[in-house]
Amino acid sequence: MSKLKNLDEVYNQCVAEGNLQEPEEIDIEKVKSLLDNAELDLKSIKDITTILEKNKNFGKIWSDRYEIIRQLVQGILLLEKVSSNNHQCLYARSCVKHPEWEIDWETIETMRLLRNGVHYEGRPVNAETWKQYKLKFEIYTNTFNKILKEKLKEITSC
């Protein structure tokens, strides 16, 4: 895996290259759809994780869990009137603008890089790496799910 880039450098590059857009309006339906999809995906992956672990298909679990986090973060940022097709920029902005969320850049960036390895290069995720990150995926999923639901509730109750 390649060396992790510095958070501030990544964020500044995202801003400089215009990878963080600011839509004029919040697309509430898209946000709700992202939340619904993430929750449905989470329920499904929880149902089959034991089987995937038994079959040593850690790359599939990794990719699916990563995708859930990505959908939740995308939904949160859409509510903040920020969008990007670049996952790294979504995470960099979240880390820079919301230190109170206590998202560790190294952890989230490692999740992204390993997912890209699985997705684009066919690299496997081994049992050791999955065990190391399983709880982190759980914590990040729960954290982002809670944040998204709270923000959605604030916006829709106005």
Side-chain angles (χ1 to χ4, degrees):
M1 192 173 72
S2 55
K3 187 179 179 299
L4 297 182
K5 293 181 182 173
N6 172 284
L7 170 61
D8 292 327
E9 286 175 28
V10 169
Y11 178 73
N12 291 336
Q13 185 177 352
C14 289
V15 171
E17 293 177 357
N19 284 322
L20 292 166
Q21 295 84 38
E22 295 180 17
E24 298 217 358
E25 291 184 23
I26 296 173
D27 186 345
I28 293 289
E29 291 312 307
K30 183 172 183 177
V31 172
K32 287 178 180 175
S33 179
L34 286 164
L35 177 60
D36 290 346
N37 286 340
E39 290 186 327
L40 191 60
D41 290 350
L42 184 60
K43 183 184 180 323
S44 298
I45 194 69
K46 281 184 175 176
D47 289 346
I48 61 170
T49 294
T50 308
I51 296 164
L52 293 171
E53 286 176 338
K54 189 175 144 218
N55 293 338
K56 298 182 177 15
N57 193 349
F58 304 108
K60 171 74 174 145
I61 304 169
W62 193 282
S63 291
D64 288 356
R65 292 303 303 249
Y66 172 88
E67 186 60 19
I68 292 164
I69 289 172
R70 189 215 37 90
Q71 290 177 81
L72 294 169
V73 171
Q74 184 181 357
I76 292 165
L77 293 188
L78 283 173
L79 292 177
E80 295 181 353
K81 289 191 173 182
V82 175
S83 70
S84 181
N85 291 326
N86 182 317
H87 301 181
Q88 187 180 40
C89 292
L90 291 174
Y91 301 132
R93 189 196 180 276
S94 299
C95 289
V96 167
K97 298 293 185 183
H98 294 287
E100 73 278 10
W101 293 351
E102 297 179 355
I103 301 306
D104 179 62
W105 171 249
E106 198 173 299
T107 298
I108 199 98
E109 183 63 352
T110 299
M111 289 174 171
R112 186 187 70 80
L113 289 169
L114 285 174
R115 177 267 187 189
N116 286 354
V118 170
H119 222 71
Y120 303 118
E121 298 162 29
R123 277 202 227 127
V125 173
N126 64 39
E128 184 72 24
T129 304
W130 170 241
K131 281 183 194 148
Q132 227 181 326
Y133 277 82
K134 186 175 183 174
L135 182 60
K136 294 174 185 180
F137 271 106
E138 198 68 36
I139 290 167
Y140 282 30
T141 301
N142 291 340
T143 298
F144 290 131
N145 194 8
K146 184 175 171 222
I147 292 166
L148 179 53
K149 285 181 173 175
E150 285 171 0
K151 285 184 171 289
L152 194 56
K153 192 175 172 187
E154 285 170 20
I155 286 178
T156 55
S157 66
C158 294

